Amino acid sequence: MKVKIGSSMLELLQGDITQQDTDAIVNAANRKLLGGGGVDGAIHRTAGPELLAECRTLGGCDTGDAVITRGYKLKARYVIHTVGPVYKGSSPNTERLLASAYKRSLEVALAKGIRSMAFPAISTGAYGYPLEEASFVALRTIIDFLRVHSEIKLVRFVLFNQRTLEAFETSLGRLNPAGS
Ligand code: ADP
């Protein structure tokens, strides 16, 4: 599924984020930035040990913030590491932190001149954020940002399974950014 937001493109697809050839891919990291399971482990395995070495120099990342490294053996030139919140029940603060993880990732990308980037569904794996809520917050944040910053030409969500893709498609339908 693809929609235009101003002059930018927002795309949803099922796949593996480590294989994306966008300028940057986003990693759903943890605060220590020392690797982990899920998408984080997959990105580190594909990028090679130099990625962990660079991450070690950064001294961690707060929840809701983002930092950037090189991509090493990945097709993507950069990795933006962001830390989503652990879900412990619906709350305005948890929602704010998830939105912030997306927004800070976009801001870091903009500052580097990145034009295309791929996101996973942050916080929806080990961190337990329900897909219906997480996908809505994710898409609303991206759409609001692209409406103001057309410098980023492509945001692609790369969703690992059919269930996640369907949740994002439903939320995008509810947000109706094309106004149909
Ligand atoms: P978090 O700790 O933020 O919840 P996880 O890595 O556990 O991070 O899960 C985040 C999302 O990433 C989940 O929806 C999971 O299915 C997905 N995921 C895992 N591996 C990949 C991959 N290689 N490409 C894209 N998404 C992935």
Side-chain angles (χ1 to χ4, degrees):
M1 190 183 241
K2 274 186 190 181
V3 288
K4 249 188 145 187
I5 313 290
S7 62
S8 306
M9 194 61 85
L10 171 60
E11 199 176 355
L12 308 180
L13 57 84
Q14 189 177 337
D16 179 352
I17 201 164
T18 65
Q19 301 308 310
Q20 300 303 309
D21 61 359
T22 42
D23 296 342
I25 64 171
V26 177
N27 181 16
N30 55 52
R31 284 189 297 166
K32 290 189 173 156
L33 298 181
L34 297 180
V39 72
D40 194 358
I43 288 172
H44 277 277
R45 277 193 300 279
T46 311
E50 286 167 299
L51 179 60
L52 185 58
E54 184 175 355
C55 284
R56 280 190 205 285
T57 68
L58 298 175
C61 178
D62 288 335
T63 304
D65 203 358
V67 294
I68 190 163
T69 65
R70 290 170 54 197
Y72 301 99
K73 295 197 174 76
L74 292 161
K75 291 178 190 161
R77 183 157 177 219
Y78 296 105
V79 180
I80 297 169
H81 307 260
T82 190
V83 184
V86 176
Y87 188 84
K88 300 187 190 111
S90 181
S91 84
N93 197 44
T94 309
E95 187 177 320
R96 182 183 63 74
L97 287 169
L98 184 62
S100 175
Y102 282 100
K103 182 153 187 256
R104 288 290 305 133
S105 298
L106 290 157
E107 286 171 354
V108 164
L110 200 61
K112 273 278 183 202
I114 284 164
R115 294 285 172 262
S116 62
M117 58 196 298
F119 280 92
I122 296 165
S123 283
T124 67
Y127 283 5
Y129 215 118
L131 275 177
E132 292 64 29
E133 289 175 48
S135 57
F136 192 83
V137 173
L139 289 164
R140 189 184 58 201
T141 306
I142 303 281
I143 290 165
D144 286 351
F145 193 91
L146 291 180
R147 286 206 164 113
V148 186
H149 296 288
S150 56
E151 304 95 303
I152 295 184
K153 293 296 170 205
L154 171 67
V155 171
R156 175 183 291 158
F157 272 95
V158 181
L159 305 160
F160 209 41
N161 52 45
Q162 180 70 22
R163 196 171 83 84
T164 310
L165 175 64
E166 280 170 9
F168 272 73
E169 285 175 346
T170 302
S171 288
L172 189 55
R174 281 174 62 204
L175 284 157
N176 189 22
S180 59

PDB file of all heavy atoms in Angstrom, residues 15-19 27-30 37-43 82-85 119-129 131 158-161 164, ligand 1:
ATOM      1  N   GLY A  15       8.079  -7.452   4.945  1.00  0.00           N
ATOM      2  CA  GLY A  15       9.433  -7.828   4.547  1.00  0.00           C
ATOM      3  C   GLY A  15      10.404  -7.772   5.697  1.00  0.00           C
ATOM      4  O   GLY A  15      10.018  -7.689   6.862  1.00  0.00           O
ATOM      5  N   ASP A  16      11.685  -7.812   5.295  1.00  0.00           N
ATOM      6  CA  ASP A  16      12.791  -7.830   6.253  1.00  0.00           C
ATOM      7  C   ASP A  16      13.539  -6.509   6.124  1.00  0.00           C
ATOM      8  O   ASP A  16      14.086  -6.204   5.064  1.00  0.00           O
ATOM      9  CB  ASP A  16      13.695  -9.020   5.901  1.00  0.00           C
ATOM     10  CG  ASP A  16      14.892  -9.128   6.808  1.00  0.00           C
ATOM     11  OD1 ASP A  16      15.139  -8.220   7.633  1.00  0.00           O
ATOM     12  OD2 ASP A  16      15.609 -10.148   6.681  1.00  0.00           O
ATOM     13  N   ILE A  17      13.585  -5.754   7.203  1.00  0.00           N
ATOM     14  CA  ILE A  17      14.170  -4.407   7.123  1.00  0.00           C
ATOM     15  C   ILE A  17      15.670  -4.448   6.838  1.00  0.00           C
ATOM     16  O   ILE A  17      16.213  -3.500   6.267  1.00  0.00           O
ATOM     17  CB  ILE A  17      13.843  -3.597   8.396  1.00  0.00           C
ATOM     18  CG1 ILE A  17      13.965  -2.100   8.113  1.00  0.00           C
ATOM     19  CG2 ILE A  17      14.692  -4.021   9.574  1.00  0.00           C
ATOM     20  CD1 ILE A  17      13.323  -1.222   9.146  1.00  0.00           C
ATOM     21  N   THR A  18      16.327  -5.535   7.179  1.00  0.00           N
ATOM     22  CA  THR A  18      17.779  -5.585   6.960  1.00  0.00           C
ATOM     23  C   THR A  18      18.129  -5.587   5.467  1.00  0.00           C
ATOM     24  O   THR A  18      19.270  -5.339   5.115  1.00  0.00           O
ATOM     25  CB  THR A  18      18.418  -6.835   7.610  1.00  0.00           C
ATOM     26  OG1 THR A  18      17.921  -8.007   6.949  1.00  0.00           O
ATOM     27  CG2 THR A  18      18.119  -6.910   9.099  1.00  0.00           C
ATOM     28  N   GLN A  19      17.155  -5.890   4.604  1.00  0.00           N
ATOM     29  CA  GLN A  19      17.415  -5.978   3.162  1.00  0.00           C
ATOM     30  C   GLN A  19      17.066  -4.695   2.408  1.00  0.00           C
ATOM     31  O   GLN A  19      17.144  -4.651   1.172  1.00  0.00           O
ATOM     32  CB  GLN A  19      16.632  -7.157   2.558  1.00  0.00           C
ATOM     33  CG  GLN A  19      16.990  -8.504   3.195  1.00  0.00           C
ATOM     34  CD  GLN A  19      18.502  -8.752   3.200  1.00  0.00           C
ATOM     35  OE1 GLN A  19      19.157  -8.608   2.172  1.00  0.00           O
ATOM     36  NE2 GLN A  19      19.047  -9.086   4.364  1.00  0.00           N
ATOM     37  N   ASN A  27      16.356   1.218  13.614  1.00  0.00           N
ATOM     38  CA  ASN A  27      16.457   0.063  14.506  1.00  0.00           C
ATOM     39  C   ASN A  27      15.637   0.326  15.766  1.00  0.00           C
ATOM     40  O   ASN A  27      15.775   1.376  16.384  1.00  0.00           O
ATOM     41  CB  ASN A  27      17.933  -0.143  14.887  1.00  0.00           C
ATOM     42  CG  ASN A  27      18.152  -1.334  15.796  1.00  0.00           C
ATOM     43  OD1 ASN A  27      17.266  -2.183  15.922  1.00  0.00           O
ATOM     44  ND2 ASN A  27      19.314  -1.398  16.419  1.00  0.00           N
ATOM     45  N   ALA A  28      14.791  -0.642  16.138  1.00  0.00           N
ATOM     46  CA  ALA A  28      14.094  -0.584  17.431  1.00  0.00           C
ATOM     47  C   ALA A  28      15.063  -1.133  18.476  1.00  0.00           C
ATOM     48  O   ALA A  28      15.089  -2.334  18.748  1.00  0.00           O
ATOM     49  CB  ALA A  28      12.811  -1.411  17.379  1.00  0.00           C
ATOM     50  N   ALA A  29      15.884  -0.242  19.012  1.00  0.00           N
ATOM     51  CA  ALA A  29      16.982  -0.624  19.901  1.00  0.00           C
ATOM     52  C   ALA A  29      16.535  -0.578  21.361  1.00  0.00           C
ATOM     53  O   ALA A  29      15.374  -0.270  21.658  1.00  0.00           O
ATOM     54  CB  ALA A  29      18.158   0.328  19.670  1.00  0.00           C
ATOM     55  N   ASN A  30      17.463  -0.888  22.253  1.00  0.00           N
ATOM     56  CA  ASN A  30      17.212  -0.666  23.685  1.00  0.00           C
ATOM     57  C   ASN A  30      18.163   0.437  24.167  1.00  0.00           C
ATOM     58  O   ASN A  30      19.068   0.850  23.433  1.00  0.00           O
ATOM     59  CB  ASN A  30      17.356  -1.959  24.481  1.00  0.00           C
ATOM     60  CG  ASN A  30      18.703  -2.613  24.254  1.00  0.00           C
ATOM     61  OD1 ASN A  30      19.741  -1.962  24.393  1.00  0.00           O
ATOM     62  ND2 ASN A  30      18.696  -3.876  23.863  1.00  0.00           N
ATOM     63  N   GLY A  37      17.587  -8.792  20.871  1.00  0.00           N
ATOM     64  CA  GLY A  37      16.869  -9.747  20.030  1.00  0.00           C
ATOM     65  C   GLY A  37      16.065  -9.017  18.975  1.00  0.00           C
ATOM     66  O   GLY A  37      16.296  -7.842  18.705  1.00  0.00           O
ATOM     67  N   GLY A  38      15.139  -9.717  18.361  1.00  0.00           N
ATOM     68  CA  GLY A  38      14.210  -9.108  17.408  1.00  0.00           C
ATOM     69  C   GLY A  38      14.931  -8.408  16.271  1.00  0.00           C
ATOM     70  O   GLY A  38      15.961  -8.877  15.769  1.00  0.00           O
ATOM     71  N   VAL A  39      14.400  -7.276  15.887  1.00  0.00           N
ATOM     72  CA  VAL A  39      14.923  -6.544  14.739  1.00  0.00           C
ATOM     73  C   VAL A  39      16.336  -6.032  15.027  1.00  0.00           C
ATOM     74  O   VAL A  39      17.188  -5.962  14.133  1.00  0.00           O
ATOM     75  CB  VAL A  39      13.925  -5.433  14.321  1.00  0.00           C
ATOM     76  CG1 VAL A  39      13.882  -4.284  15.288  1.00  0.00           C
ATOM     77  CG2 VAL A  39      14.222  -4.961  12.918  1.00  0.00           C
ATOM     78  N   ASP A  40      16.599  -5.698  16.266  1.00  0.00           N
ATOM     79  CA  ASP A  40      17.926  -5.212  16.684  1.00  0.00           C
ATOM     80  C   ASP A  40      18.988  -6.276  16.390  1.00  0.00           C
ATOM     81  O   ASP A  40      20.026  -5.996  15.755  1.00  0.00           O
ATOM     82  CB  ASP A  40      17.849  -4.902  18.189  1.00  0.00           C
ATOM     83  CG  ASP A  40      19.016  -4.090  18.715  1.00  0.00           C
ATOM     84  OD1 ASP A  40      19.925  -3.782  17.929  1.00  0.00           O
ATOM     85  OD2 ASP A  40      19.008  -3.772  19.917  1.00  0.00           O
ATOM     86  N   GLY A  41      18.731  -7.507  16.809  1.00  0.00           N
ATOM     87  CA  GLY A  41      19.672  -8.598  16.564  1.00  0.00           C
ATOM     88  C   GLY A  41      19.876  -8.830  15.076  1.00  0.00           C
ATOM     89  O   GLY A  41      21.004  -9.013  14.615  1.00  0.00           O
ATOM     90  N   ALA A  42      18.783  -8.774  14.315  1.00  0.00           N
ATOM     91  CA  ALA A  42      18.868  -9.008  12.865  1.00  0.00           C
ATOM     92  C   ALA A  42      19.710  -7.920  12.189  1.00  0.00           C
ATOM     93  O   ALA A  42      20.534  -8.214  11.313  1.00  0.00           O
ATOM     94  CB  ALA A  42      17.461  -9.053  12.265  1.00  0.00           C
ATOM     95  N   ILE A  43      19.537  -6.681  12.608  1.00  0.00           N
ATOM     96  CA  ILE A  43      20.299  -5.566  12.011  1.00  0.00           C
ATOM     97  C   ILE A  43      21.782  -5.721  12.345  1.00  0.00           C
ATOM     98  O   ILE A  43      22.644  -5.585  11.459  1.00  0.00           O
ATOM     99  CB  ILE A  43      19.729  -4.209  12.468  1.00  0.00           C
ATOM    100  CG1 ILE A  43      18.377  -3.963  11.792  1.00  0.00           C
ATOM    101  CG2 ILE A  43      20.702  -3.066  12.166  1.00  0.00           C
ATOM    102  CD1 ILE A  43      17.606  -2.750  12.297  1.00  0.00           C
ATOM    103  N   THR A  82      16.613   3.959  17.562  1.00  0.00           N
ATOM    104  CA  THR A  82      15.678   4.658  18.436  1.00  0.00           C
ATOM    105  C   THR A  82      15.169   3.683  19.494  1.00  0.00           C
ATOM    106  O   THR A  82      15.193   2.467  19.294  1.00  0.00           O
ATOM    107  CB  THR A  82      14.523   5.297  17.638  1.00  0.00           C
ATOM    108  OG1 THR A  82      13.775   6.150  18.521  1.00  0.00           O
ATOM    109  CG2 THR A  82      13.584   4.268  17.038  1.00  0.00           C
ATOM    110  N   VAL A  83      14.724   4.236  20.616  1.00  0.00           N
ATOM    111  CA  VAL A  83      14.265   3.401  21.727  1.00  0.00           C
ATOM    112  C   VAL A  83      12.806   3.737  22.014  1.00  0.00           C
ATOM    113  O   VAL A  83      12.481   4.850  22.431  1.00  0.00           O
ATOM    114  CB  VAL A  83      15.134   3.629  22.981  1.00  0.00           C
ATOM    115  CG1 VAL A  83      14.689   2.675  24.103  1.00  0.00           C
ATOM    116  CG2 VAL A  83      16.608   3.442  22.668  1.00  0.00           C
ATOM    117  N   GLY A  84      11.945   2.770  21.728  1.00  0.00           N
ATOM    118  CA  GLY A  84      10.532   2.928  22.027  1.00  0.00           C
ATOM    119  C   GLY A  84      10.253   2.569  23.485  1.00  0.00           C
ATOM    120  O   GLY A  84      11.103   1.986  24.167  1.00  0.00           O
ATOM    121  N   PRO A  85       9.056   2.908  23.960  1.00  0.00           N
ATOM    122  CA  PRO A  85       8.696   2.584  25.347  1.00  0.00           C
ATOM    123  C   PRO A  85       8.291   1.117  25.503  1.00  0.00           C
ATOM    124  O   PRO A  85       7.775   0.505  24.569  1.00  0.00           O
ATOM    125  CB  PRO A  85       7.488   3.485  25.602  1.00  0.00           C
ATOM    126  CG  PRO A  85       6.847   3.618  24.255  1.00  0.00           C
ATOM    127  CD  PRO A  85       7.978   3.616  23.252  1.00  0.00           C
ATOM    128  N   PHE A 119      11.253   2.032   8.387  1.00  0.00           N
ATOM    129  CA  PHE A 119      10.982   1.819   9.814  1.00  0.00           C
ATOM    130  C   PHE A 119      10.417   0.421  10.054  1.00  0.00           C
ATOM    131  O   PHE A 119       9.584  -0.049   9.269  1.00  0.00           O
ATOM    132  CB  PHE A 119       9.876   2.772  10.288  1.00  0.00           C
ATOM    133  CG  PHE A 119      10.302   4.186  10.578  1.00  0.00           C
ATOM    134  CD1 PHE A 119      10.237   5.152   9.590  1.00  0.00           C
ATOM    135  CD2 PHE A 119      10.716   4.556  11.850  1.00  0.00           C
ATOM    136  CE1 PHE A 119      10.599   6.474   9.861  1.00  0.00           C
ATOM    137  CE2 PHE A 119      11.068   5.866  12.136  1.00  0.00           C
ATOM    138  CZ  PHE A 119      11.013   6.824  11.142  1.00  0.00           C
ATOM    139  N   PRO A 120      10.761  -0.179  11.187  1.00  0.00           N
ATOM    140  CA  PRO A 120      10.013  -1.351  11.658  1.00  0.00           C
ATOM    141  C   PRO A 120       8.871  -0.860  12.558  1.00  0.00           C
ATOM    142  O   PRO A 120       8.751   0.345  12.804  1.00  0.00           O
ATOM    143  CB  PRO A 120      11.055  -2.100  12.495  1.00  0.00           C
ATOM    144  CG  PRO A 120      11.857  -0.998  13.130  1.00  0.00           C
ATOM    145  CD  PRO A 120      11.843   0.173  12.141  1.00  0.00           C
ATOM    146  N   ALA A 121       8.076  -1.792  13.066  1.00  0.00           N
ATOM    147  CA  ALA A 121       6.987  -1.428  13.990  1.00  0.00           C
ATOM    148  C   ALA A 121       7.566  -1.365  15.410  1.00  0.00           C
ATOM    149  O   ALA A 121       7.562  -2.359  16.145  1.00  0.00           O
ATOM    150  CB  ALA A 121       5.866  -2.453  13.900  1.00  0.00           C
ATOM    151  N   ILE A 122       8.071  -0.184  15.747  1.00  0.00           N
ATOM    152  CA  ILE A 122       8.776   0.026  17.029  1.00  0.00           C
ATOM    153  C   ILE A 122       7.879  -0.348  18.212  1.00  0.00           C
ATOM    154  O   ILE A 122       6.682  -0.011  18.217  1.00  0.00           O
ATOM    155  CB  ILE A 122       9.210   1.508  17.120  1.00  0.00           C
ATOM    156  CG1 ILE A 122      10.213   1.837  16.011  1.00  0.00           C
ATOM    157  CG2 ILE A 122       9.789   1.843  18.495  1.00  0.00           C
ATOM    158  CD1 ILE A 122      10.413   3.320  15.795  1.00  0.00           C
ATOM    159  N   SER A 123       8.468  -1.024  19.179  1.00  0.00           N
ATOM    160  CA  SER A 123       7.840  -1.406  20.465  1.00  0.00           C
ATOM    161  C   SER A 123       6.794  -2.509  20.367  1.00  0.00           C
ATOM    162  O   SER A 123       6.215  -2.884  21.387  1.00  0.00           O
ATOM    163  CB  SER A 123       7.199  -0.194  21.177  1.00  0.00           C
ATOM    164  OG  SER A 123       8.165   0.618  21.794  1.00  0.00           O
ATOM    165  N   THR A 124       6.553  -3.051  19.174  1.00  0.00           N
ATOM    166  CA  THR A 124       5.458  -4.031  19.049  1.00  0.00           C
ATOM    167  C   THR A 124       5.901  -5.486  19.217  1.00  0.00           C
ATOM    168  O   THR A 124       5.087  -6.396  19.099  1.00  0.00           O
ATOM    169  CB  THR A 124       4.735  -3.911  17.688  1.00  0.00           C
ATOM    170  OG1 THR A 124       5.653  -4.297  16.659  1.00  0.00           O
ATOM    171  CG2 THR A 124       4.227  -2.516  17.439  1.00  0.00           C
ATOM    172  N   GLY A 125       7.211  -5.693  19.464  1.00  0.00           N
ATOM    173  CA  GLY A 125       7.699  -7.051  19.684  1.00  0.00           C
ATOM    174  C   GLY A 125       7.872  -7.294  21.173  1.00  0.00           C
ATOM    175  O   GLY A 125       6.902  -7.327  21.932  1.00  0.00           O
ATOM    176  N   ALA A 126       9.119  -7.389  21.597  1.00  0.00           N
ATOM    177  CA  ALA A 126       9.436  -7.651  23.015  1.00  0.00           C
ATOM    178  C   ALA A 126       8.837  -6.581  23.934  1.00  0.00           C
ATOM    179  O   ALA A 126       8.512  -6.874  25.088  1.00  0.00           O
ATOM    180  CB  ALA A 126      10.950  -7.705  23.189  1.00  0.00           C
ATOM    181  N   TYR A 127       8.682  -5.366  23.444  1.00  0.00           N
ATOM    182  CA  TYR A 127       8.188  -4.272  24.290  1.00  0.00           C
ATOM    183  C   TYR A 127       6.663  -4.250  24.426  1.00  0.00           C
ATOM    184  O   TYR A 127       6.117  -3.450  25.180  1.00  0.00           O
ATOM    185  CB  TYR A 127       8.721  -2.921  23.813  1.00  0.00           C
ATOM    186  CG  TYR A 127      10.169  -2.660  24.203  1.00  0.00           C
ATOM    187  CD1 TYR A 127      10.934  -3.629  24.843  1.00  0.00           C
ATOM    188  CD2 TYR A 127      10.783  -1.434  23.930  1.00  0.00           C
ATOM    189  CE1 TYR A 127      12.256  -3.398  25.202  1.00  0.00           C
ATOM    190  CE2 TYR A 127      12.107  -1.187  24.297  1.00  0.00           C
ATOM    191  CZ  TYR A 127      12.850  -2.175  24.922  1.00  0.00           C
ATOM    192  OH  TYR A 127      14.157  -1.930  25.281  1.00  0.00           O
ATOM    193  N   GLY A 128       5.971  -5.123  23.691  1.00  0.00           N
ATOM    194  CA  GLY A 128       4.570  -5.429  23.989  1.00  0.00           C
ATOM    195  C   GLY A 128       3.492  -4.406  23.648  1.00  0.00           C
ATOM    196  O   GLY A 128       2.359  -4.527  24.116  1.00  0.00           O
ATOM    197  N   TYR A 129       3.816  -3.417  22.826  1.00  0.00           N
ATOM    198  CA  TYR A 129       2.810  -2.389  22.483  1.00  0.00           C
ATOM    199  C   TYR A 129       1.782  -3.020  21.534  1.00  0.00           C
ATOM    200  O   TYR A 129       2.157  -3.565  20.495  1.00  0.00           O
ATOM    201  CB  TYR A 129       3.503  -1.213  21.791  1.00  0.00           C
ATOM    202  CG  TYR A 129       2.927   0.149  22.084  1.00  0.00           C
ATOM    203  CD1 TYR A 129       3.694   1.134  22.704  1.00  0.00           C
ATOM    204  CD2 TYR A 129       1.622   0.474  21.739  1.00  0.00           C
ATOM    205  CE1 TYR A 129       3.178   2.399  22.977  1.00  0.00           C
ATOM    206  CE2 TYR A 129       1.102   1.734  22.006  1.00  0.00           C
ATOM    207  CZ  TYR A 129       1.884   2.685  22.631  1.00  0.00           C
ATOM    208  OH  TYR A 129       1.372   3.922  22.889  1.00  0.00           O
ATOM    209  N   LEU A 131      -0.545  -3.816  18.537  1.00  0.00           N
ATOM    210  CA  LEU A 131      -0.369  -3.368  17.155  1.00  0.00           C
ATOM    211  C   LEU A 131      -1.371  -2.303  16.726  1.00  0.00           C
ATOM    212  O   LEU A 131      -1.019  -1.391  15.986  1.00  0.00           O
ATOM    213  CB  LEU A 131      -0.533  -4.568  16.218  1.00  0.00           C
ATOM    214  CG  LEU A 131       0.706  -5.405  15.993  1.00  0.00           C
ATOM    215  CD1 LEU A 131       0.345  -6.587  15.108  1.00  0.00           C
ATOM    216  CD2 LEU A 131       1.775  -4.533  15.339  1.00  0.00           C
ATOM    217  N   VAL A 158       8.494  -1.425   6.976  1.00  0.00           N
ATOM    218  CA  VAL A 158       8.784  -2.800   6.581  1.00  0.00           C
ATOM    219  C   VAL A 158       8.353  -3.698   7.737  1.00  0.00           C
ATOM    220  O   VAL A 158       8.972  -3.735   8.797  1.00  0.00           O
ATOM    221  CB  VAL A 158      10.274  -2.979   6.247  1.00  0.00           C
ATOM    222  CG1 VAL A 158      10.549  -4.405   5.809  1.00  0.00           C
ATOM    223  CG2 VAL A 158      10.670  -2.003   5.156  1.00  0.00           C
ATOM    224  N   LEU A 159       7.239  -4.390   7.518  1.00  0.00           N
ATOM    225  CA  LEU A 159       6.539  -5.096   8.589  1.00  0.00           C
ATOM    226  C   LEU A 159       6.771  -6.585   8.418  1.00  0.00           C
ATOM    227  O   LEU A 159       6.724  -7.106   7.298  1.00  0.00           O
ATOM    228  CB  LEU A 159       5.066  -4.691   8.557  1.00  0.00           C
ATOM    229  CG  LEU A 159       4.975  -3.140   8.630  1.00  0.00           C
ATOM    230  CD1 LEU A 159       3.646  -2.624   8.137  1.00  0.00           C
ATOM    231  CD2 LEU A 159       5.289  -2.651  10.023  1.00  0.00           C
ATOM    232  N   PHE A 160       7.090  -7.212   9.539  1.00  0.00           N
ATOM    233  CA  PHE A 160       7.688  -8.542   9.478  1.00  0.00           C
ATOM    234  C   PHE A 160       6.691  -9.637   9.146  1.00  0.00           C
ATOM    235  O   PHE A 160       7.080 -10.698   8.673  1.00  0.00           O
ATOM    236  CB  PHE A 160       8.376  -8.817  10.815  1.00  0.00           C
ATOM    237  CG  PHE A 160       9.553  -9.733  10.699  1.00  0.00           C
ATOM    238  CD1 PHE A 160      10.446  -9.616   9.643  1.00  0.00           C
ATOM    239  CD2 PHE A 160       9.792 -10.704  11.658  1.00  0.00           C
ATOM    240  CE1 PHE A 160      11.543 -10.435   9.536  1.00  0.00           C
ATOM    241  CE2 PHE A 160      10.890 -11.546  11.555  1.00  0.00           C
ATOM    242  CZ  PHE A 160      11.763 -11.407  10.501  1.00  0.00           C
ATOM    243  N   ASN A 161       5.429  -9.445   9.426  1.00  0.00           N
ATOM    244  CA  ASN A 161       4.452 -10.505   9.145  1.00  0.00           C
ATOM    245  C   ASN A 161       3.127  -9.886   8.685  1.00  0.00           C
ATOM    246  O   ASN A 161       2.922  -8.670   8.778  1.00  0.00           O
ATOM    247  CB  ASN A 161       4.260 -11.415  10.373  1.00  0.00           C
ATOM    248  CG  ASN A 161       3.941 -10.615  11.609  1.00  0.00           C
ATOM    249  OD1 ASN A 161       3.108  -9.710  11.557  1.00  0.00           O
ATOM    250  ND2 ASN A 161       4.593 -10.913  12.715  1.00  0.00           N
ATOM    251  N   THR A 164       0.970  -7.792  11.210  1.00  0.00           N
ATOM    252  CA  THR A 164       1.472  -6.434  11.449  1.00  0.00           C
ATOM    253  C   THR A 164       1.137  -5.536  10.260  1.00  0.00           C
ATOM    254  O   THR A 164       0.689  -4.398  10.434  1.00  0.00           O
ATOM    255  CB  THR A 164       2.996  -6.468  11.715  1.00  0.00           C
ATOM    256  OG1 THR A 164       3.255  -7.454  12.710  1.00  0.00           O
ATOM    257  CG2 THR A 164       3.497  -5.123  12.196  1.00  0.00           C
TER     258      THR A 164
HETATM  259  P1  ADP B   1      10.758  -3.831  20.501  1.00  0.00           P
HETATM  260  O1  ADP B   1      11.682  -4.211  21.625  1.00  0.00           O
HETATM  261  O2  ADP B   1      10.822  -2.348  20.170  1.00  0.00           O
HETATM  262  O3  ADP B   1       9.370  -4.335  20.715  1.00  0.00           O
HETATM  263  P2  ADP B   1      11.329  -6.004  18.586  1.00  0.00           P
HETATM  264  O4  ADP B   1      12.540  -6.148  17.727  1.00  0.00           O
HETATM  265  O5  ADP B   1      11.079  -7.043  19.629  1.00  0.00           O
HETATM  266  O6  ADP B   1      11.419  -4.513  19.211  1.00  0.00           O
HETATM  267  O7  ADP B   1      10.024  -5.918  17.658  1.00  0.00           O
HETATM  268  C1  ADP B   1       9.698  -4.801  16.885  1.00  0.00           C
HETATM  269  C2  ADP B   1       9.049  -5.271  15.586  1.00  0.00           C
HETATM  270  O8  ADP B   1      10.064  -5.673  14.670  1.00  0.00           O
HETATM  271  C3  ADP B   1       8.104  -6.464  15.727  1.00  0.00           C
HETATM  272  O9  ADP B   1       6.916  -6.154  15.010  1.00  0.00           O
HETATM  273  C4  ADP B   1       8.874  -7.598  15.059  1.00  0.00           C
HETATM  274  O10 ADP B   1       7.991  -8.538  14.455  1.00  0.00           O
HETATM  275  C5  ADP B   1       9.634  -6.849  14.007  1.00  0.00           C
HETATM  276  N1  ADP B   1      10.816  -7.491  13.399  1.00  0.00           N
HETATM  277  C6  ADP B   1      11.634  -8.437  13.884  1.00  0.00           C
HETATM  278  N2  ADP B   1      12.604  -8.718  12.988  1.00  0.00           N
HETATM  279  C7  ADP B   1      12.419  -7.899  11.911  1.00  0.00           C
HETATM  280  C8  ADP B   1      13.059  -7.704  10.649  1.00  0.00           C
HETATM  281  N3  ADP B   1      14.150  -8.399  10.299  1.00  0.00           N
HETATM  282  N4  ADP B   1      12.530  -6.769   9.793  1.00  0.00           N
HETATM  283  C9  ADP B   1      11.466  -6.052  10.128  1.00  0.00           C
HETATM  284  N5  ADP B   1      10.808  -6.181  11.302  1.00  0.00           N
HETATM  285  C10 ADP B   1      11.271  -7.103  12.182  1.00  0.00           C
END
